[in-house]
Amino acid sequence: MSPEELSSDPPGVGALSSVFHVYRVERDGEEIQFVGEPLIPPGTLSKEVTPLFAQRGYDVEVTRRHGDGGPAPYALVAQPESVGIDGIPWGNLVMFVLTVATTLYAGTWWYHIDLAGDPLNLLEAWPFTAAVLGVLATHELGHYVLSRYHGVDASLPYFIPVPPPIGTMGAIIRMRGQIPSRKALFDIGVAGPLAGLAATIVVTVVGLHLDPISVPAAAAQPAEGAASIQFNDPPLLTLLAELVGQPLTYDDPTKAVNPVVFGGWVGMFVTFLNLIPVGQLDGGHILRAALGRRQETVAAAVPGVLFAMAGGLYFLTEYTQSTILWGIWGVIALVMVRAGSATPLREGSIGNKRLALAGLTFLAGALCFMPVPIEIVMA
């Protein structure tokens, strides 16, 4: 099939001629590949061609072709945009609404709200939902904004609903475009944790200044042998409480810190997990941008560290829940190591300022670390 035959679908070959020399055009269903060679630096190619394809209703991704055996090392892969029905991202909206519902329900646990008398009492847990989803949304929108800034096509956040006690497993965005450079990879990777951490600090400080909640007598003094879940405090949470002069616990068992503070706890836990330096996690992106391909050496050691932590907790403590948690994350890290990290189109140093910011970001992540984040306590 000649390029001219496709000129009425996505942008024509002539429209690309100033930035991309097309050797041939390939079609596979709705996907169209313009195979050829960039006439400008590959790292800036995505910014140039994305608007051309977008105005014709196509998403485009710049990819390298390995093992092609010819003179065409790159391809522009175009597919019709898939935003949703009538241009509305229904998938994102449905997932968001479901997550609002599950976090509201989780909030009733923390506020000790009785739903038996009136199910609409569920809405009284809105501060908890606002805290948790506000932190997660800010994190993902940090990625989204910097992706768009660097010309990388990214979806809106998809929130993931789960049952209490948290009500969500977080949120994700899908990046469909090739990342143009190591600097862009760093900016996109670091934006989420830094934005989310800023929101986490605000939510935590606000929660610490809110009035404590009343705990029912049955919950304040559980029956002997009853089990309860305890969420331990990371160093950052303790530090913030000390800085603002507010307590995290009360001598009176019928009082407890406002559940909005737990929204901050969720933000800190999510920040640490995302900064594990492996694969497609934010920490993996940051380290790949900082170290280049040497990042693979560091990433290969991460699963072993997580398994060692799980083993240490198993043999040296009674925190079996955390043993399972870090064992699962060891497996996740192992899978991510095998899958590999993001590969930007253009290599090159990210500069000393970004390297310093990488160090500060990982330090902030360390302040969110808890070897035993969750434990089961018997009365």
Side-chain angles (χ1 to χ4, degrees):
M1 179 177 291
S2 67
E4 289 74 11
E5 291 180 70
L6 297 175
S7 61
S8 62
D9 289 343
V13 172
L16 304 172
S17 61
S18 64
V19 294
F20 192 78
H21 179 69
V22 179
Y23 288 105
R24 64 181 183 274
V25 179
E26 301 173 356
R27 182 190 287 271
D28 183 7
E30 292 188 322
E31 179 182 282
I32 303 171
Q33 292 195 23
F34 294 81
V35 183
E37 190 171 6
L39 301 177
I40 60 175
T44 61
L45 181 59
S46 180
K47 277 188 176 181
E48 294 294 330
V49 300
T50 295
L52 295 173
F53 283 84
Q55 66 187 7
R56 301 293 292 271
Y58 279 80
D59 291 322
V60 65
E61 179 180 356
V62 181
T63 63
R64 279 178 175 166
R65 292 171 67 92
H66 299 285
D68 189 62
Y74 288 86
L76 304 180
V77 182
Q79 292 181 323
E81 287 181 341
S82 178
V83 177
I85 301 174
D86 298 327
I88 299 174
W90 289 109
N92 303 79
L93 288 174
V94 169
M95 296 293 284
F96 177 73
V97 170
L98 289 174
T99 307
V100 168
T102 54
T103 52
L104 281 171
Y105 182 55
T108 64
W109 288 32
W110 293 98
Y111 284 101
H112 304 283
I113 296 172
D114 181 16
L115 297 179
D118 185 359
L120 289 180
N121 288 340
L122 180 80
L123 300 178
E124 295 177 13
W126 73 264
F128 175 81
T129 293
V132 172
L133 297 190
V135 166
L136 297 177
T138 303
H139 179 117
E140 296 304 329
L141 287 175
H143 291 312
Y144 179 83
V145 170
L146 266 294
S147 295
R148 291 293 187 176
Y149 174 79
H150 284 288
V152 178
D153 187 21
S155 72
L156 292 170
Y158 290 89
F159 288 86
I160 306 172
V162 296
I166 297 177
T168 178
M169 284 184 63
I172 59 172
I173 64 171
R174 293 172 52 228
M175 288 190 293
R176 294 180 284 263
Q178 185 90 22
I179 297 174
S181 66
R182 277 170 60 181
K183 287 184 179 180
L185 177 61
F186 176 85
D187 293 347
I188 294 169
V190 82
L194 291 183
L197 195 58
T200 292
I201 291 172
V202 171
V203 163
T204 302
V205 171
V206 169
L208 287 168
H209 282 91
L210 293 176
D211 293 335
I213 62 167
S214 298
V215 180
Q221 296 180 334
E224 185 176 352
S228 60
I229 301 175
Q230 177 174 305
F231 293 83
N232 294 320
D233 300 331
L236 181 58
L237 181 55
T238 303
L239 178 61
L240 290 174
E242 291 177 354
L243 287 175
V244 301
Q246 296 293 329
L248 287 170
T249 58
Y250 294 88
D251 294 333
D252 184 352
T254 64
K255 287 185 176 182
V257 70
N258 195 285
V260 168
V261 175
F262 185 61
W265 186 98
V266 172
M268 295 175 199
F269 190 49
V270 167
T271 296
F272 172 76
L273 292 179
N274 273 287
L275 285 174
I276 294 175
V278 66
Q280 299 293 324
L281 293 176
D282 297 340
H285 290 327
I286 295 169
L287 203 66
R288 173 64 176 82
L291 300 182
R293 293 186 177 89
R294 291 175 295 167
Q295 178 261 355
E296 296 176 1
T297 303
V298 178
V302 171
V305 172
L306 293 170
F307 286 133
M309 185 160 58
L313 289 171
Y314 180 80
F315 289 107
L316 302 177
T317 73
E318 297 180 354
Y319 300 123
T320 55
Q321 296 80 23
S322 293
T323 298
I324 296 171
L325 171 68
W326 297 123
I328 291 172
W329 270 95
V331 173
I332 293 172
L334 190 61
V335 171
M336 288 188 170
V337 167
R338 293 180 63 86
S341 60
T343 303
L345 286 172
R346 188 173 67 242
E347 298 289 345
S349 173
I350 63 173
N352 291 332
K353 290 182 179 179
R354 283 184 171 87
L355 287 173
L357 184 57
L360 290 174
T361 303
F362 282 121
L363 177 61
L367 291 175
C368 299
F369 171 64
M370 299 159 281
V372 183
I374 305 170
E375 61 180 295
I376 305 298
V377 178
M378 305 300 294

